[in-house]
């Protein structure tokens, strides 16, 4: 935050609920990349990210609309 950052953009393998909670508690955003398969998207969503980067955005939208 002191460096002017707005959040963290992290690979799907490094995203955790704890990391998300700590970032959000400090007013920072969590962006997770690159989730393409359904299980990757669902796992990322468990972390409450502010953004998910995907090569299949339609699948992300479908899962979010469930």
């Amino acid at each position: 935050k002191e460096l002017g950052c707005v959040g963290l953009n992290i690979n799907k393998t490094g995203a955790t609920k704890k990391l998300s909670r700590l970032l959000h508690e400090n007013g920072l955003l969590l962006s997770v990349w690159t989730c393409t398969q359904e299980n990757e998207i669902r796992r990322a969503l468990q972390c409450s990210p502010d953004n998910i980067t995907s090569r299949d955005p339609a699948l992300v939208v479908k899962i979010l609309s469930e």
Side-chain angles (χ1 to χ4, degrees), residues 6-48:
V6 297
L8 180 66
N9 186 18
I10 192 167
N11 182 276
K12 63 187 174 245
T13 60
T16 65
K17 290 178 185 180
K18 181 177 182 179
L19 176 61
S20 180
R21 180 180 50 79
L22 290 170
L23 287 168
H24 290 143
E25 285 175 358
N26 287 282
L28 297 167
L29 303 173
L30 174 64
S31 179
V32 180
W33 58 272
T34 296
C35 301
T36 304
Q37 298 176 1
E38 184 173 344
N39 64 322
E40 296 169 341
I41 296 165
R42 290 186 186 283
R43 183 182 176 278
L45 287 170
Q46 291 177 352
C47 298
S48 301

